[in-house]
Structure formats: C-alpha cells, structure tokens
Amino acid sequence: MAELDYKQILFNFETFNFLKSINFIAFLGWRLFKADRIDLNDLQSLGLELSQINQSLDICFRYIPNLTGLAKFAALLYKSKRSSETQRLNWLLQAQEQAKQLVTRYDPDFNSDLFLWDLGNEFYKFGQLEAAIASYDKALEFKPNDDNTLYNKACTYALQNQVELAIENLQQAINLDAENRNMAKTDSDFDSIRSDPRFQALLN
C-alpha cells in the first residue's frame, strides 16, 4: 500500500496550495491585518521579507469573496488600509457588514471591540465621523459602560463642534475612569470646544 501524504488527506490540492501561498499571513495573523502599515524592521526580525508578505496579502485579497467569518472581516479591514482614499470607504463598509454577521451573544467584549477599535476608529481616522459615531453606538449596545467608547465618541462629537453631546459623553467617560479627564486636557480633538465654559468646568 502506497504511503499517503497527510496533506492530501486533510486538504484538496487547491486548498493546500492556497494555504501554502499565504503562509506568511497565517503566521502573522491578526497582528498583521490590524496594522496600519507593514513594519519592515519588525518583519526582518522574524526572518521574513516584505515582498513575501505583500505577495501573500495580494493572494489573500483575491480570495476575499471565498473567505468567511473573521478571516473575511480581517481581509476587508486591511484591504481598506491598503486602498486609495476613493476606495477605502467602500472596503470599510463591506467590513462593517461582515462584522454584523460575527456578532455573538456569548462574547460582548468581542462584539464591542469589532465596532470600537476595528471599525469606529477606522471610520474616525478616515474622517467619516457619522459612521464612526454609529459604530461607537453599536459598540455601546454590547458594553454600555465602556469608557473608551464613550471617550472616543466625545472626541468625535467635539470634531463636529457638537458641544453638548461631546461634554455629555466625556462626562460619562470621566465618571467611569477619572484618567479620561487628564487625557482630555491635552487631546487636540477637543481644541474646537476647549474655550467653552462648560468644557472648562468639566475639566476643572
């Protein structure tokens, strides 16, 4: 009886070749997909070449329609970071739709992180403030007393010059963690409302 290769038993040929071609992504996983940019020095310390990482990323992006679950969300999210500004929003919105499918009633922390760190803050950095606030609101559905979400929401409202909403959310964030008061004192997001007496009173 001929000896069988365990890889041929576990995977069909196409699947095995795909996994082999993206082995650098599989190795670095979420750490790479969440990065805003690829740190060449970091990769070289692991014995990896930037060209290999880029090649495996490109292969992964071509397979986005075939991916599912968290893998698809990660690919969409990082694709948005590597796209031009005209395409970035489209990929972010696709990631947002995928995130909705990942929500589970068993893990509110995971749900909150999806809409806070992975989506809300990406919309915020891209200047899509309304989308950012909507994501923060979604995160708060899962963790209503998360001071990070409330603080980021306050920052976003301040950038829109919505003073009352900014102060309301910042007050809640401070009530949950007093360190948020110190952060707000130097956070440039609040510069547009910094001279407002209500903001000054909250900080003092």
Side-chain angles (χ1 to χ4, degrees), residues 193-204:
I193 67 170
R194 194 167 300 282
S195 60
D196 189 286
R198 292 165 294 178
F199 182 79
Q200 289 293 324
L202 179 58
L203 294 191
N204 295 326

Side-chain angles (χ1 to χ4, degrees), residues 17 46 66 73 75 89 137 179:
N17 279 342
L46 297 171
N66 304 107
F73 173 77
L89 180 59
D137 283 339
E179 181 58 29

Side-chain angles (χ1 to χ4, degrees), residues 30-57:
W30 193 241
R31 169 183 174 186
L32 177 59
F33 270 123
K34 290 192 70 175
D36 286 322
R37 62 184 179 84
I38 299 175
D39 188 328
L40 181 58
N41 292 327
D42 189 31
L43 296 180
Q44 288 177 331
S45 70
L46 297 171
L48 303 176
E49 296 293 334
L50 182 61
S51 60
Q52 295 171 315
I53 293 293
N54 280 327
Q55 183 180 11
S56 55
L57 276 171

Side-chain angles (χ1 to χ4, degrees), residues 121-137:
N121 288 355
E122 285 304 311
F123 281 123
Y124 162 86
K125 286 188 284 187
F126 191 46
Q128 297 291 322
L129 302 184
E130 289 296 335
I133 289 171
S135 292
Y136 295 145
D137 283 339

Side-chain angles (χ1 to χ4, degrees), residues 156-174:
T156 309
Y157 277 131
L159 290 173
Q160 293 180 318
N161 207 33
Q162 298 194 52
V163 184
E164 291 185 7
L165 289 172
I167 291 175
E168 176 186 333
N169 282 273
L170 181 57
Q171 176 71 75
Q172 293 180 59
I174 291 172

Side-chain angles (χ1 to χ4, degrees), residues 33-103:
F33 270 123
K34 290 192 70 175
D36 286 322
R37 62 184 179 84
I38 299 175
D39 188 328
L40 181 58
N41 292 327
D42 189 31
L43 296 180
Q44 288 177 331
S45 70
L46 297 171
L48 303 176
E49 296 293 334
L50 182 61
S51 60
Q52 295 171 315
I53 293 293
N54 280 327
Q55 183 180 11
S56 55
L57 276 171
D58 290 339
I59 291 171
C60 205
F61 292 151
R62 290 202 299 271
Y63 275 80
I64 285 178
N66 304 107
L67 297 175
T68 59
L70 189 59
K72 185 172 185 177
F73 173 77
L76 289 167
L77 185 67
Y78 195 66
K79 179 68 174 177
S80 74
K81 299 178 180 183
R82 291 170 60 89
S83 299
S84 64
E85 287 199 8
T86 56
Q87 297 177 324
R88 186 176 182 187
L89 180 59
N90 174 57
W91 290 110
L92 269 177
L93 291 173
Q94 290 188 55
Q96 183 182 53
E97 288 305 307
Q98 183 65 19
K100 294 176 183 177
Q101 300 178 34
L102 297 174
V103 167

